[in-house]
Amino acid sequence: MRRGAGLLALACVTFGAALGHATGVDVPPVNGAAVQDAAFARNLSDYRFFTDGARQMPNSTVTPYALNTPLWSDGAEKLRFIYLPPGTQLVADGEGLLQFPVGAAIIKTFAFGEGGARRLIETRVLLHRADGWVALPYRWNADQTDATLALAGGRLDLVTPAGAAISYAIPNKNQCKTCHSKDGQVIPIGPKARNLSAAWLGQMVKVGALDRVPVGADSLPDWSAHATGPAAPLARAYLDVNCAHCHQPGGGASNSGLDLRWEQDDTHAIGVFKRPVAAGRGAGGHEFSIKPGAPDASILLYRMDSAEPGIAMPELGKASVDEDGVAVVRRWIAEMKH
Amino acid sequence: MNRIAFAAVLLASAAPLAAETHTIAPGEGAQERLQEALILAAPGDEIVLEAGRFVLTDGLSLDVDGVTLRGQSADTTILDFTSQQGAGEGLLVTSDNVTLRDFRMENPKGDGIKSKGADNIVYTRLIVTWTNGPDPSNGAYAIYPVESTGVLVDGVIVSGASDAGIYVGQSSRITVRNSIAKENVAGIEIENSRDALVENNIATKNTGGILVFDLPGLPVIGGGNVIVRNNIASDNNTPNFAPPGNIVAGVPSGTGIMVMANENVLIEDNIVSDNATAPFMIIAYTQTFDDARYNPFPRNVVIGRNIAEGGGKAPDLPGGEQLAAALGGAIPPVLWDGLSDPETAPLFVTGEFAGVSLNLKAQGQGMSDAQPSVLSAPADAPAWDMSAVGAPAELAARLK
């Protein structure tokens, strides 16, 4: 699935613009004013990111993308897009986050169900305004015709692809910031060069939407190899993508001292023989975040493997356990020298 | 929804607005209505909770500077998180100059009220409680300011926390006063913080009453310049119910006032009664650590005039019973582990207290290495600059 989505994303970069013109349909462009103006648009359709929202068909300056290792959200299918205002481009900043021009937007739709049974649940948008990024959640209506601003978030019952019946939480605007925050400012998380394929980046350069493919691009492993690939890079990529937006200096969980970023090479900061600080019952009776060779005595894995509020990590965006993620991190800790 | 759109436009406009009051009633949709008000509030606004029980399924959060969130009273406005399904705390505050007052919070799944990077915050006339009493499945902290400068906690009641009732971490310019902490593992804990004043509180029926700790491996370390005065720390003999692995899980039941690591801590004019292990426990950090910034020893801890009575009769320490028996039925009020920094004296006792040293020889040793003897701590305590201790005075103006 993920590789397929990646290929589709690549195809869309190549042909998306051409398709829009070739069909000869007179499609109004993205509503750049809605992206930049100070108000919060009430409906997702107000932005015109999609020519067909229900089918997630992007408008001409909206480009799909995929991540090598994605953030897991109860197994939701995620459809990711970047909008760039006409005449602008992304600027690479090493292996890190691509730099977005003011007026750009990042759009991510969450869906559950396969084929004709697919239901769009929510679309989260990050709008790059002159005074910084704004994160807003939109909830899809029952008819799937549009999504409406859900500032206060919401809940709905659904069954995950793994078969778990959960109460799915659409985050409120503040919770968007809880993850998308560094030093108190809202920032994107996903589109780092290291977590984007070289092919996609190269295509973006080719169409003028990116200045260059930076050194360090495409260095995170492809998560589709999670069952058999080397555990260490997969686990570190997983922790970087799923945990490090809070667990890093300046992030929401900075006070824990746990730093799970890909580039962190201090083993204590990553959690090896690190004692808990404010974990409470989340410690599960264990002494260390990671005890090498002993995944079942490691707080980090204990919290990943729980869906219980107050114990479960991440605190937001999950109501069930990611068994694939747990398996990789378990393998990594078990293999550690001790 | 029209109101939201309208409010959003107002919020977004740059023109200064008169502070507004938004009143929220309990009942259907309270979660969304209250969270929406917290998001749409403008700096200076008040969000007023009517009397009644707000049944909430998700943690609340506030990220707007200068907002007051207040109920009618801690007896009548209740935020009930018993059926909470998500988030790590009941209420998360991430903005500055916020005032929280006159409401009660019950049974949050994780922490109660957490404020992170929220400078000049005031918590007053609040109750945060886990209604089932001491239980390891309760949340860790009831009131939890962290990474903040300017914290005033005044007139709160906290109970049932499986770590600390009032926990202030990695912060500075702190006052915790006029509050009651009961049936928590730690009643009041000041950790990795500087310039803290803990006064006029009652800490009772906790495992440990008042703790002043400094721990390694955190972004902010180097706790000190702390005054603990005019408190009552009594009957803190609740068996330790902290989940194992947490630092407070190592606090002996029966601890009155405890200092671990830290520098410049003044303990005076407290009433410390009926704490079965020790009224005053002064120790080095007990675990191994790897942090070049960190000093594991207590330095310049001053135990001044206090009333200490009825303590030390049943120390919750390995060999504690024999130790108490050997010392005439109770260990004397001051218990020191015997460890100190070669550069700075650990402890001064200016009050008329006897004490005991465990005479440990190296940081990390346990009771099996103890060779107890009578403590002879000097009384010529040094003076240091305490002018910055406590929350900035202007915060008190919000206690209305």
Side-chain angles (χ1 to χ4, degrees):
Chain A
M1 275 299 289
R2 288 194 176 100
R3 183 164 293 282
L7 287 172
L8 175 64
L10 187 56
C12 289
V13 181
T14 316
F15 304 116
L19 264 174
H21 293 297
T23 53
V25 181
D26 185 20
V27 179
V30 169
N31 181 358
V35 175
Q36 290 214 54
D37 287 357
F40 306 147
R42 182 178 167 185
N43 297 307
L44 181 63
S45 59
D46 295 344
Y47 300 102
R48 296 196 295 269
F49 291 133
F50 302 102
T51 56
D52 181 343
R55 293 171 55 216
Q56 292 285 288
M57 296 297 293
N59 208 335
S60 58
T61 46
V62 176
T63 306
Y65 70 101
L67 299 171
N68 292 3
T69 294
L71 172 74
W72 188 83
S73 307
D74 287 318
E77 178 189 356
K78 297 183 179 179
L79 301 116
R80 300 176 175 84
F81 306 89
I82 286 168
Y83 161 68
L84 292 173
T88 67
Q89 66 170 196
L90 299 163
V91 175
D93 182 14
E95 66 170 50
L97 268 178
L98 301 177
Q99 302 294 303
F100 285 74
V102 169
I106 304 173
I107 305 110
K108 182 159 75 165
T109 296
F110 292 63
F112 285 90
E114 298 278 335
R118 185 173 86 175
R119 304 282 300 169
L120 307 181
I121 304 298
E122 56 161 330
T123 295
R124 305 178 187 169
V125 303
L126 272 171
L127 311 173
H128 196 194
R129 294 178 166 171
D131 56 354
W133 289 90
V134 175
L136 297 173
Y138 289 83
R139 179 176 185 157
W140 281 86
N141 61 22
D143 297 336
Q144 301 275 285
T145 54
D146 202 354
T148 310
L149 180 63
L151 278 181
R155 284 191 171 271
L156 71 158
D157 294 330
L158 56 78
V159 177
T160 69
I166 61 167
S167 171
Y168 178 89
I170 296 171
N172 67 52
K173 179 174 176 284
N174 284 355
Q175 290 171 325
C176 294
K177 186 180 172 185
T178 303
C179 294
H180 284 273
S181 153
K182 185 165 169 63
D183 299 325
Q185 300 301 309
V186 174
I187 57 161
I189 300 171
K192 298 185 172 88
R194 66 187 180 212
N195 201 16
L196 292 160
S197 75
W200 185 88
L201 291 164
Q203 192 59 40
M204 290 293 277
V205 171
K206 195 170 169 186
V207 300
L210 174 64
D211 66 334
R212 69 201 148 87
V213 178
V215 173
D218 200 8
S219 52
L220 262 60
D222 182 340
W223 184 251
S224 63
H226 66 83
T228 53
L234 282 163
R236 289 299 306 274
Y238 185 91
L239 296 173
D240 179 76
V241 169
N242 285 274
C243 316
H245 40 269
C246 284
H247 282 289
Q248 66 167 295
S254 58
N255 57 300
S256 69
L258 188 66
D259 182 356
L260 294 172
R261 288 174 300 168
W262 173 255
E263 61 267 41
Q264 178 56 263
D265 54 11
D266 175 350
T267 56
H268 184 266
I270 297 164
V272 176
F273 291 121
K274 182 186 178 305
R275 296 180 188 280
V277 182
R281 66 198 174 106
H286 307 310
E287 277 190 277
F288 303 109
S289 292
I290 293 174
K291 187 172 180 189
D296 290 317
S298 297
I299 296 168
L300 185 145
L301 192 72
Y302 173 76
R303 303 192 79 167
M304 279 179 66
D305 201 15
S306 172
E308 192 181 336
I311 296 175
M313 284 285 163
E315 290 178 341
L316 298 176
K318 92 167 216 189
S320 58
V321 171
D322 180 8
E323 300 295 350
D324 292 345
V326 166
V328 164
V329 173
R330 171 182 295 283
R331 199 152 57 89
W332 174 55
I333 296 175
E335 287 175 2
M336 281 183 189
K337 290 196 175 67
H338 55 282
Chain B
M1 283 309 286
N2 283 337
R3 196 178 58 80
I4 296 180
F6 177 64
V9 170
L10 275 184
L11 174 65
S13 74
L17 298 167
E20 289 190 13
T21 299
H22 312 275
T23 303
I24 310 293
E28 183 68 28
Q31 176 84 44
E32 283 76 17
R33 287 183 286 112
L34 174 50
Q35 183 58 61
E36 208 168 272
L38 291 167
I39 289 170
L40 292 172
D45 282 2
E46 278 201 336
I47 296 169
V48 179
L49 305 170
E50 290 185 352
R53 186 170 287 270
F54 292 73
V55 178
L56 301 165
T57 56
D58 284 274
L60 301 165
S61 55
L62 173 61
D63 190 40
V64 181
D65 290 346
V67 168
T68 294
L69 173 63
R70 65 177 173 92
Q72 303 305 306
S73 77
D75 290 328
T76 56
T77 296
I78 300 153
L79 302 182
D80 181 351
F81 284 93
T82 307
S83 55
Q84 185 176 1
Q85 293 177 288
E89 55 281 310
L91 170 63
L92 174 65
V93 177
T94 48
S95 47
D96 298 337
N97 297 306
V98 165
T99 304
L100 307 171
R101 63 179 170 96
D102 296 299
F103 61 86
R104 175 202 300 251
M105 179 181 290
E106 292 183 357
N107 302 324
K109 283 292 184 283
D111 300 310
I113 307 175
K114 178 178 179 180
S115 51
K116 179 172 184 292
D119 295 343
N120 293 328
I121 191 165
V122 174
Y123 292 83
T124 185
R125 299 193 301 271
L126 302 170
I127 295 174
V128 180
T129 181
W130 284 269
T131 54
N132 56 338
D135 187 324
S137 72
N138 293 347
Y141 305 132
I143 288 184
Y144 178 13
V146 65
E147 291 186 344
S148 302
T149 301
V151 174
L152 175 56
V153 178
D154 188 322
V156 308
I157 303 175
V158 291
S159 63
S162 68
D163 196 308
I166 299 169
Y167 170 96
V168 184
Q170 302 180 55
S171 294
S172 60
R173 300 302 307 272
I174 301 148
T175 296
V176 176
R177 67 187 186 194
N178 306 332
S179 295
I180 299 173
K182 61 182 178 185
E183 297 181 337
N184 310 284
V185 174
I188 299 168
E189 182 174 356
I190 306 295
E191 187 173 278
N192 292 50
S193 292
R194 294 197 71 83
D195 300 327
L197 174 61
V198 179
E199 67 176 359
N200 303 338
N201 303 286
I202 298 173
T204 186
K205 295 186 166 55
N206 307 286
T207 300
I210 299 171
L211 314 183
V212 182
F213 281 12
D214 196 44
L215 305 180
L218 299 181
V220 177
I221 62 165
N225 225 18
V226 177
I227 300 175
V228 179
R229 70 182 176 207
N230 296 322
N231 301 284
I232 296 174
S234 69
D235 191 23
N236 291 294
N237 299 314
T238 294
N240 194 320
F241 61 99
N246 293 282
I247 187 74
V248 296
V251 174
S253 167
T255 300
I257 297 173
M258 177 173 177
V259 178
M260 183 164 72
N262 265 274
E263 64 174 354
N264 299 352
V265 180
L266 174 61
I267 300 170
E268 66 179 8
D269 296 328
N270 302 284
I271 298 173
V272 187
S273 60
D274 300 314
N275 301 288
T277 293
F280 306 101
M281 189 185 304
I282 313 302
I283 64 169
Y285 179 64
T286 56
Q287 315 274 11
T288 55
F289 65 94
D290 178 16
D291 186 340
R293 306 167 300 162
Y294 182 65
N295 187 327
F297 301 109
R299 287 99 70 205
N300 288 343
V301 176
V302 179
I303 300 179
R305 186 182 66 177
N306 291 274
I307 294 173
E309 58 155 30
K313 292 177 178 169
D316 177 25
L317 300 167
E321 194 179 339
Q322 295 88 324
L323 182 60
L327 294 166
I331 63 172
V334 180
L335 175 65
W336 175 46
D337 63 2
L339 296 170
S340 61
D341 184 298
E343 306 285 321
T344 314
L347 180 63
F348 299 85
V349 179
T350 63
E352 307 251 316
F353 294 122
V356 63
S357 168
L358 299 178
N359 289 311
L360 299 183
K361 296 295 178 237
Q363 189 265 336
Q365 286 182 332
M367 279 298 286
S368 57
D369 299 303
Q371 296 178 307
S373 68
V374 172
L375 169 70
S376 57
D380 56 335
W384 63 84
D385 179 10
M386 295 186 192
S387 56
V389 172
E394 60 269 25
L395 267 58
R398 288 191 251 146
L399 299 172
K400 55 192 172 189

